[in-house]
Amino acid sequence: MSTFSGEIKKIEVNRDSCAGVGACVSIAPQIFQLDDEGKAVVDESNKVNKETLLSAAKSCPHNAISLYDEEGKVIPL
Ligand code: SF4
């Protein structure tokens, strides 16, 4: 369980690091989808609870997902 108590304001996938493993897609398919190149893309028009988002970001074996707080700082995973 994360101790992060703020709000997640931005989600980013580093395409160079993403290997298309799909762990993030399994956990939060509303937010993460694989594109034509097999890389994860983010759909921020959908909402998902914070814990799910944190789990999805942590699940990435390549640390390709970054989450940012209200101040634009990277949230430690
Ligand atoms: S879990 Fe990581 S490597 Fe796998 S698709 Fe998601 S961002 Fe890419």
Side-chain angles (χ1 to χ4, degrees), residues 8-71:
I8 297 168
K9 286 292 185 193
K10 192 169 152 217
I11 310 161
E12 259 180 16
V13 172
N14 180 335
R15 290 183 68 81
D16 292 335
S17 303
C18 175
V21 178
C24 60
V25 180
S26 304
I27 294 173
Q30 310 91 324
I31 303 293
F32 298 100
Q33 284 104 40
L34 295 181
D35 68 9
D36 294 347
E37 295 174 32
K39 306 264 186 183
V41 289
V42 177
D43 182 354
E44 291 199 60
S45 65
N46 287 325
K47 294 284 171 229
V48 71
N49 73 53
K50 190 165 67 182
E51 290 307 330
T52 303
L53 203 43
L54 287 165
S55 298
K58 280 185 204 166
S59 76
C60 179
H62 297 277
N63 298 322
I65 302 174
S66 300
L67 304 177
Y68 297 86
D69 67 14
E70 301 97 322
E71 294 169 3

